[in-house]
Amino acid sequence: IPLAAQAQQLQTCDKSEIAIDTRTGTKHFSVELALTPAQEEQGLMFRQQLAPDAGMLFVFDDTAIRTFWMRNTLIPLDMLFIASDGRIVDIHERAVPLSETVIPSCQPARAVLELNGGTVARLGIRIGDVVRYKSFGNAS
């Protein structure tokens, strides 16, 4: 299927607010939730841009090594791999658009948060920082 045809069949996702507690304060994001297999498969594919405070959150039923790739993804992304308690256990910065290279988490993760490439560096987000969201039982 041509890219244009695929892009016309895009899934729409529910949105939610999350926060990340960093050493320099709490950062807030409006994220889309990848809740179905189709939404998880699509992720942020075909997007021309993403607002600076936007992202996509994938929450899985189990904790495991997570693998992502950038097929059909047009913008660079930072990927935050998150443990079941909300702690960031791994970060992959500036994933290359359109790359089919698999990006695995170095630690088992229950969730993955995708943000604009460069957000981690700009906001000083680090491994050990905490993502606050209801799925982690720590929403503020």
Side-chain angles (χ1 to χ4, degrees):
I1 300 175
L3 280 182
Q6 289 179 34
Q8 289 172 5
Q9 301 166 7
L10 290 182
Q11 301 284 315
T12 55
C13 298
D14 291 342
K15 293 190 176 181
S16 189
E17 301 299 313
I18 65 162
I20 303 176
D21 293 339
T22 74
R23 289 160 187 79
T24 59
T26 301
K27 314 302 183 193
H28 296 272
F29 296 89
S30 175
V31 297
E32 294 175 61
L33 304 172
L35 301 173
T36 68
Q39 290 169 340
E40 288 174 3
E41 183 178 334
Q42 176 184 294
L44 291 170
M45 288 180 176
F46 310 110
R47 302 292 177 91
Q48 301 286 338
Q49 60 187 16
L50 192 61
D53 65 342
M56 182 169 277
L57 182 65
F58 303 78
V59 179
F60 302 97
D61 292 333
D62 63 339
T63 297
I65 297 295
R66 299 291 167 204
T67 56
F68 277 65
W69 65 358
M70 297 289 287
R71 172 185 278 177
N72 298 329
T73 306
L74 308 175
I75 54 177
L77 296 174
D78 288 349
M79 297 177 189
L80 285 62
F81 297 91
I82 306 164
S84 58
D85 63 359
R87 272 179 316 102
I88 298 170
V89 294
D90 193 19
I91 296 173
H92 182 88
E93 293 185 61
R94 292 185 171 95
V96 177
L98 304 174
S99 172
E100 293 191 9
T101 300
V102 173
I103 301 166
S105 60
C106 293
Q107 300 291 326
R110 165 98 190 284
V112 177
L113 175 61
E114 293 181 338
L115 301 171
N116 272 305
T119 301
V120 164
R122 180 171 54 86
L123 298 180
I125 297 169
R126 299 182 186 170
I127 292 172
D129 289 351
V130 175
V131 178
R132 299 211 172 269
Y133 182 66
K134 62 186 177 187
S135 294
F136 310 128
N138 65 6
S140 27

PDB file of all heavy atoms in Angstrom, residues 62-67 80-84 87-91 103-112 127-128:
ATOM      1  N   ASP A  62       2.518  -6.495  30.420  1.00  0.00           N
ATOM      2  CA  ASP A  62       3.609  -7.130  31.152  1.00  0.00           C
ATOM      3  C   ASP A  62       4.861  -6.273  31.055  1.00  0.00           C
ATOM      4  O   ASP A  62       4.911  -5.311  30.308  1.00  0.00           O
ATOM      5  CB  ASP A  62       3.886  -8.533  30.610  1.00  0.00           C
ATOM      6  CG  ASP A  62       4.344  -8.507  29.158  1.00  0.00           C
ATOM      7  OD1 ASP A  62       4.076  -7.508  28.447  1.00  0.00           O
ATOM      8  OD2 ASP A  62       4.970  -9.476  28.720  1.00  0.00           O
ATOM      9  N   THR A  63       5.862  -6.658  31.832  1.00  0.00           N
ATOM     10  CA  THR A  63       7.163  -5.999  31.810  1.00  0.00           C
ATOM     11  C   THR A  63       8.121  -6.907  31.046  1.00  0.00           C
ATOM     12  O   THR A  63       8.245  -8.088  31.377  1.00  0.00           O
ATOM     13  CB  THR A  63       7.661  -5.756  33.242  1.00  0.00           C
ATOM     14  OG1 THR A  63       6.734  -4.871  33.886  1.00  0.00           O
ATOM     15  CG2 THR A  63       9.042  -5.122  33.250  1.00  0.00           C
ATOM     16  N   ALA A  64       8.755  -6.353  30.013  1.00  0.00           N
ATOM     17  CA  ALA A  64       9.650  -7.146  29.161  1.00  0.00           C
ATOM     18  C   ALA A  64      10.596  -6.202  28.425  1.00  0.00           C
ATOM     19  O   ALA A  64      10.416  -4.986  28.450  1.00  0.00           O
ATOM     20  CB  ALA A  64       8.828  -7.954  28.155  1.00  0.00           C
ATOM     21  N   ILE A  65      11.598  -6.784  27.780  1.00  0.00           N
ATOM     22  CA  ILE A  65      12.424  -5.986  26.877  1.00  0.00           C
ATOM     23  C   ILE A  65      11.507  -5.518  25.737  1.00  0.00           C
ATOM     24  O   ILE A  65      10.780  -6.330  25.149  1.00  0.00           O
ATOM     25  CB  ILE A  65      13.607  -6.819  26.317  1.00  0.00           C
ATOM     26  CG1 ILE A  65      14.542  -7.256  27.448  1.00  0.00           C
ATOM     27  CG2 ILE A  65      14.357  -6.040  25.235  1.00  0.00           C
ATOM     28  CD1 ILE A  65      15.255  -6.124  28.173  1.00  0.00           C
ATOM     29  N   ARG A  66      11.495  -4.239  25.458  1.00  0.00           N
ATOM     30  CA  ARG A  66      10.638  -3.665  24.412  1.00  0.00           C
ATOM     31  C   ARG A  66      11.478  -3.331  23.196  1.00  0.00           C
ATOM     32  O   ARG A  66      12.621  -2.863  23.325  1.00  0.00           O
ATOM     33  CB  ARG A  66       9.954  -2.393  24.914  1.00  0.00           C
ATOM     34  CG  ARG A  66       9.059  -2.620  26.108  1.00  0.00           C
ATOM     35  CD  ARG A  66       7.823  -3.425  25.728  1.00  0.00           C
ATOM     36  NE  ARG A  66       7.157  -3.886  26.930  1.00  0.00           N
ATOM     37  CZ  ARG A  66       6.365  -4.940  26.978  1.00  0.00           C
ATOM     38  NH1 ARG A  66       6.124  -5.639  25.889  1.00  0.00           N
ATOM     39  NH2 ARG A  66       5.802  -5.301  28.106  1.00  0.00           N
ATOM     40  N   THR A  67      10.923  -3.561  22.024  1.00  0.00           N
ATOM     41  CA  THR A  67      11.622  -3.210  20.782  1.00  0.00           C
ATOM     42  C   THR A  67      10.715  -2.325  19.937  1.00  0.00           C
ATOM     43  O   THR A  67       9.517  -2.603  19.789  1.00  0.00           O
ATOM     44  CB  THR A  67      12.008  -4.468  19.985  1.00  0.00           C
ATOM     45  OG1 THR A  67      10.843  -5.242  19.729  1.00  0.00           O
ATOM     46  CG2 THR A  67      13.024  -5.304  20.742  1.00  0.00           C
ATOM     47  N   LEU A  80      11.439   6.818  25.803  1.00  0.00           N
ATOM     48  CA  LEU A  80      11.685   6.598  27.223  1.00  0.00           C
ATOM     49  C   LEU A  80      11.058   5.264  27.586  1.00  0.00           C
ATOM     50  O   LEU A  80       9.855   5.057  27.385  1.00  0.00           O
ATOM     51  CB  LEU A  80      11.047   7.705  28.062  1.00  0.00           C
ATOM     52  CG  LEU A  80      11.744   9.062  28.078  1.00  0.00           C
ATOM     53  CD1 LEU A  80      11.801   9.701  26.717  1.00  0.00           C
ATOM     54  CD2 LEU A  80      11.079   9.986  29.061  1.00  0.00           C
ATOM     55  N   PHE A  81      11.868   4.337  28.088  1.00  0.00           N
ATOM     56  CA  PHE A  81      11.403   3.016  28.487  1.00  0.00           C
ATOM     57  C   PHE A  81      11.145   3.072  29.994  1.00  0.00           C
ATOM     58  O   PHE A  81      12.023   3.487  30.759  1.00  0.00           O
ATOM     59  CB  PHE A  81      12.437   1.956  28.126  1.00  0.00           C
ATOM     60  CG  PHE A  81      12.666   1.856  26.638  1.00  0.00           C
ATOM     61  CD1 PHE A  81      13.647   2.612  26.007  1.00  0.00           C
ATOM     62  CD2 PHE A  81      11.880   1.018  25.855  1.00  0.00           C
ATOM     63  CE1 PHE A  81      13.856   2.530  24.633  1.00  0.00           C
ATOM     64  CE2 PHE A  81      12.079   0.926  24.481  1.00  0.00           C
ATOM     65  CZ  PHE A  81      13.063   1.686  23.864  1.00  0.00           C
ATOM     66  N   ILE A  82       9.937   2.652  30.419  1.00  0.00           N
ATOM     67  CA  ILE A  82       9.449   2.931  31.765  1.00  0.00           C
ATOM     68  C   ILE A  82       9.083   1.633  32.484  1.00  0.00           C
ATOM     69  O   ILE A  82       8.364   0.789  31.936  1.00  0.00           O
ATOM     70  CB  ILE A  82       8.210   3.852  31.673  1.00  0.00           C
ATOM     71  CG1 ILE A  82       8.550   5.116  30.851  1.00  0.00           C
ATOM     72  CG2 ILE A  82       7.696   4.221  33.052  1.00  0.00           C
ATOM     73  CD1 ILE A  82       7.333   5.879  30.373  1.00  0.00           C
ATOM     74  N   ALA A  83       9.552   1.501  33.732  1.00  0.00           N
ATOM     75  CA  ALA A  83       9.221   0.341  34.568  1.00  0.00           C
ATOM     76  C   ALA A  83       7.783   0.463  35.070  1.00  0.00           C
ATOM     77  O   ALA A  83       7.147   1.511  34.963  1.00  0.00           O
ATOM     78  CB  ALA A  83      10.195   0.262  35.747  1.00  0.00           C
ATOM     79  N   SER A  84       7.273  -0.612  35.685  1.00  0.00           N
ATOM     80  CA  SER A  84       5.882  -0.636  36.139  1.00  0.00           C
ATOM     81  C   SER A  84       5.589   0.393  37.230  1.00  0.00           C
ATOM     82  O   SER A  84       4.443   0.782  37.426  1.00  0.00           O
ATOM     83  CB  SER A  84       5.497  -2.034  36.620  1.00  0.00           C
ATOM     84  OG  SER A  84       6.353  -2.442  37.655  1.00  0.00           O
ATOM     85  N   ARG A  87       9.360   4.531  36.910  1.00  0.00           N
ATOM     86  CA  ARG A  87      10.758   4.940  36.765  1.00  0.00           C
ATOM     87  C   ARG A  87      11.238   4.738  35.335  1.00  0.00           C
ATOM     88  O   ARG A  87      10.991   3.693  34.732  1.00  0.00           O
ATOM     89  CB  ARG A  87      11.673   4.120  37.686  1.00  0.00           C
ATOM     90  CG  ARG A  87      11.863   4.633  39.073  1.00  0.00           C
ATOM     91  CD  ARG A  87      12.781   3.708  39.879  1.00  0.00           C
ATOM     92  NE  ARG A  87      12.457   2.294  39.690  1.00  0.00           N
ATOM     93  CZ  ARG A  87      13.153   1.457  38.899  1.00  0.00           C
ATOM     94  NH1 ARG A  87      14.225   1.849  38.245  1.00  0.00           N
ATOM     95  NH2 ARG A  87      12.778   0.194  38.781  1.00  0.00           N
ATOM     96  N   ILE A  88      11.952   5.718  34.810  1.00  0.00           N
ATOM     97  CA  ILE A  88      12.563   5.583  33.484  1.00  0.00           C
ATOM     98  C   ILE A  88      13.790   4.687  33.642  1.00  0.00           C
ATOM     99  O   ILE A  88      14.693   5.000  34.424  1.00  0.00           O
ATOM    100  CB  ILE A  88      12.944   6.954  32.901  1.00  0.00           C
ATOM    101  CG1 ILE A  88      11.681   7.804  32.715  1.00  0.00           C
ATOM    102  CG2 ILE A  88      13.698   6.791  31.586  1.00  0.00           C
ATOM    103  CD1 ILE A  88      11.953   9.255  32.362  1.00  0.00           C
ATOM    104  N   VAL A  89      13.801   3.554  32.897  1.00  0.00           N
ATOM    105  CA  VAL A  89      14.894   2.592  33.040  1.00  0.00           C
ATOM    106  C   VAL A  89      15.848   2.611  31.849  1.00  0.00           C
ATOM    107  O   VAL A  89      16.947   2.055  31.919  1.00  0.00           O
ATOM    108  CB  VAL A  89      14.371   1.160  33.276  1.00  0.00           C
ATOM    109  CG1 VAL A  89      13.647   1.075  34.621  1.00  0.00           C
ATOM    110  CG2 VAL A  89      13.462   0.693  32.142  1.00  0.00           C
ATOM    111  N   ASP A  90      15.445   3.249  30.754  1.00  0.00           N
ATOM    112  CA  ASP A  90      16.320   3.359  29.585  1.00  0.00           C
ATOM    113  C   ASP A  90      15.799   4.496  28.715  1.00  0.00           C
ATOM    114  O   ASP A  90      14.602   4.817  28.746  1.00  0.00           O
ATOM    115  CB  ASP A  90      16.342   2.041  28.796  1.00  0.00           C
ATOM    116  CG  ASP A  90      17.465   1.982  27.758  1.00  0.00           C
ATOM    117  OD1 ASP A  90      18.433   2.777  27.870  1.00  0.00           O
ATOM    118  OD2 ASP A  90      17.370   1.160  26.836  1.00  0.00           O
ATOM    119  N   ILE A  91      16.690   5.097  27.953  1.00  0.00           N
ATOM    120  CA  ILE A  91      16.333   6.189  27.042  1.00  0.00           C
ATOM    121  C   ILE A  91      17.083   5.989  25.730  1.00  0.00           C
ATOM    122  O   ILE A  91      18.280   5.687  25.736  1.00  0.00           O
ATOM    123  CB  ILE A  91      16.713   7.569  27.640  1.00  0.00           C
ATOM    124  CG1 ILE A  91      15.902   7.841  28.923  1.00  0.00           C
ATOM    125  CG2 ILE A  91      16.504   8.679  26.611  1.00  0.00           C
ATOM    126  CD1 ILE A  91      16.335   9.107  29.668  1.00  0.00           C
ATOM    127  N   ILE A 103      15.194  -0.939  17.821  1.00  0.00           N
ATOM    128  CA  ILE A 103      15.690  -0.237  19.006  1.00  0.00           C
ATOM    129  C   ILE A 103      15.164  -0.989  20.224  1.00  0.00           C
ATOM    130  O   ILE A 103      13.985  -0.890  20.550  1.00  0.00           O
ATOM    131  CB  ILE A 103      15.200   1.227  19.011  1.00  0.00           C
ATOM    132  CG1 ILE A 103      15.689   1.958  17.764  1.00  0.00           C
ATOM    133  CG2 ILE A 103      15.634   1.927  20.297  1.00  0.00           C
ATOM    134  CD1 ILE A 103      14.998   3.281  17.516  1.00  0.00           C
ATOM    135  N   PRO A 104      16.029  -1.765  20.897  1.00  0.00           N
ATOM    136  CA  PRO A 104      15.576  -2.507  22.085  1.00  0.00           C
ATOM    137  C   PRO A 104      15.845  -1.715  23.361  1.00  0.00           C
ATOM    138  O   PRO A 104      16.775  -0.915  23.429  1.00  0.00           O
ATOM    139  CB  PRO A 104      16.452  -3.754  22.050  1.00  0.00           C
ATOM    140  CG  PRO A 104      17.747  -3.261  21.470  1.00  0.00           C
ATOM    141  CD  PRO A 104      17.382  -2.153  20.498  1.00  0.00           C
ATOM    142  N   SER A 105      15.012  -1.963  24.375  1.00  0.00           N
ATOM    143  CA  SER A 105      15.316  -1.384  25.690  1.00  0.00           C
ATOM    144  C   SER A 105      16.433  -2.212  26.324  1.00  0.00           C
ATOM    145  O   SER A 105      16.517  -3.416  26.110  1.00  0.00           O
ATOM    146  CB  SER A 105      14.064  -1.403  26.580  1.00  0.00           C
ATOM    147  OG  SER A 105      13.584  -2.711  26.789  1.00  0.00           O
ATOM    148  N   CYS A 106      17.294  -1.558  27.086  1.00  0.00           N
ATOM    149  CA  CYS A 106      18.382  -2.268  27.778  1.00  0.00           C
ATOM    150  C   CYS A 106      17.878  -2.942  29.042  1.00  0.00           C
ATOM    151  O   CYS A 106      18.542  -3.821  29.580  1.00  0.00           O
ATOM    152  CB  CYS A 106      19.502  -1.290  28.129  1.00  0.00           C
ATOM    153  SG  CYS A 106      20.339  -0.639  26.686  1.00  0.00           S
ATOM    154  N   GLN A 107      16.732  -2.506  29.543  1.00  0.00           N
ATOM    155  CA  GLN A 107      16.112  -3.060  30.747  1.00  0.00           C
ATOM    156  C   GLN A 107      14.663  -3.420  30.423  1.00  0.00           C
ATOM    157  O   GLN A 107      14.063  -2.799  29.546  1.00  0.00           O
ATOM    158  CB  GLN A 107      16.118  -2.021  31.884  1.00  0.00           C
ATOM    159  CG  GLN A 107      17.489  -1.546  32.300  1.00  0.00           C
ATOM    160  CD  GLN A 107      18.270  -2.631  32.995  1.00  0.00           C
ATOM    161  OE1 GLN A 107      17.711  -3.456  33.716  1.00  0.00           O
ATOM    162  NE2 GLN A 107      19.576  -2.651  32.788  1.00  0.00           N
ATOM    163  N   PRO A 108      14.094  -4.369  31.130  1.00  0.00           N
ATOM    164  CA  PRO A 108      12.668  -4.653  30.934  1.00  0.00           C
ATOM    165  C   PRO A 108      11.827  -3.409  31.232  1.00  0.00           C
ATOM    166  O   PRO A 108      12.131  -2.661  32.165  1.00  0.00           O
ATOM    167  CB  PRO A 108      12.385  -5.767  31.941  1.00  0.00           C
ATOM    168  CG  PRO A 108      13.714  -6.394  32.207  1.00  0.00           C
ATOM    169  CD  PRO A 108      14.708  -5.273  32.103  1.00  0.00           C
ATOM    170  N   ALA A 109      10.784  -3.207  30.435  1.00  0.00           N
ATOM    171  CA  ALA A 109       9.928  -2.025  30.585  1.00  0.00           C
ATOM    172  C   ALA A 109       8.462  -2.429  30.461  1.00  0.00           C
ATOM    173  O   ALA A 109       8.122  -3.348  29.724  1.00  0.00           O
ATOM    174  CB  ALA A 109      10.287  -0.978  29.535  1.00  0.00           C
ATOM    175  N   ARG A 110       7.619  -1.708  31.160  1.00  0.00           N
ATOM    176  CA  ARG A 110       6.168  -1.923  31.078  1.00  0.00           C
ATOM    177  C   ARG A 110       5.546  -0.950  30.089  1.00  0.00           C
ATOM    178  O   ARG A 110       4.469  -1.195  29.540  1.00  0.00           O
ATOM    179  CB  ARG A 110       5.572  -1.718  32.471  1.00  0.00           C
ATOM    180  CG  ARG A 110       4.091  -1.553  32.527  1.00  0.00           C
ATOM    181  CD  ARG A 110       3.370  -2.840  32.893  1.00  0.00           C
ATOM    182  NE  ARG A 110       1.937  -2.724  32.714  1.00  0.00           N
ATOM    183  CZ  ARG A 110       1.133  -2.078  33.528  1.00  0.00           C
ATOM    184  NH1 ARG A 110       1.598  -1.470  34.606  1.00  0.00           N
ATOM    185  NH2 ARG A 110      -0.160  -2.030  33.278  1.00  0.00           N
ATOM    186  N   ALA A 111       6.234   0.187  29.850  1.00  0.00           N
ATOM    187  CA  ALA A 111       5.673   1.217  28.985  1.00  0.00           C
ATOM    188  C   ALA A 111       6.781   1.914  28.218  1.00  0.00           C
ATOM    189  O   ALA A 111       7.951   1.853  28.600  1.00  0.00           O
ATOM    190  CB  ALA A 111       4.891   2.238  29.824  1.00  0.00           C
ATOM    191  N   VAL A 112       6.381   2.589  27.138  1.00  0.00           N
ATOM    192  CA  VAL A 112       7.306   3.403  26.354  1.00  0.00           C
ATOM    193  C   VAL A 112       6.609   4.725  26.061  1.00  0.00           C
ATOM    194  O   VAL A 112       5.446   4.750  25.657  1.00  0.00           O
ATOM    195  CB  VAL A 112       7.696   2.698  25.036  1.00  0.00           C
ATOM    196  CG1 VAL A 112       8.610   3.592  24.205  1.00  0.00           C
ATOM    197  CG2 VAL A 112       8.369   1.361  25.329  1.00  0.00           C
ATOM    198  N   ILE A 127      17.590   8.733  33.101  1.00  0.00           N
ATOM    199  CA  ILE A 127      17.230   7.446  33.690  1.00  0.00           C
ATOM    200  C   ILE A 127      17.083   7.649  35.196  1.00  0.00           C
ATOM    201  O   ILE A 127      17.897   8.329  35.819  1.00  0.00           O
ATOM    202  CB  ILE A 127      18.296   6.376  33.357  1.00  0.00           C
ATOM    203  CG1 ILE A 127      18.250   6.068  31.854  1.00  0.00           C
ATOM    204  CG2 ILE A 127      18.087   5.115  34.186  1.00  0.00           C
ATOM    205  CD1 ILE A 127      19.362   5.168  31.366  1.00  0.00           C
ATOM    206  N   GLY A 128      16.022   7.084  35.771  1.00  0.00           N
ATOM    207  CA  GLY A 128      15.741   7.260  37.196  1.00  0.00           C
ATOM    208  C   GLY A 128      14.669   8.297  37.459  1.00  0.00           C
ATOM    209  O   GLY A 128      14.044   8.291  38.528  1.00  0.00           O
TER     210      GLY A 128
END
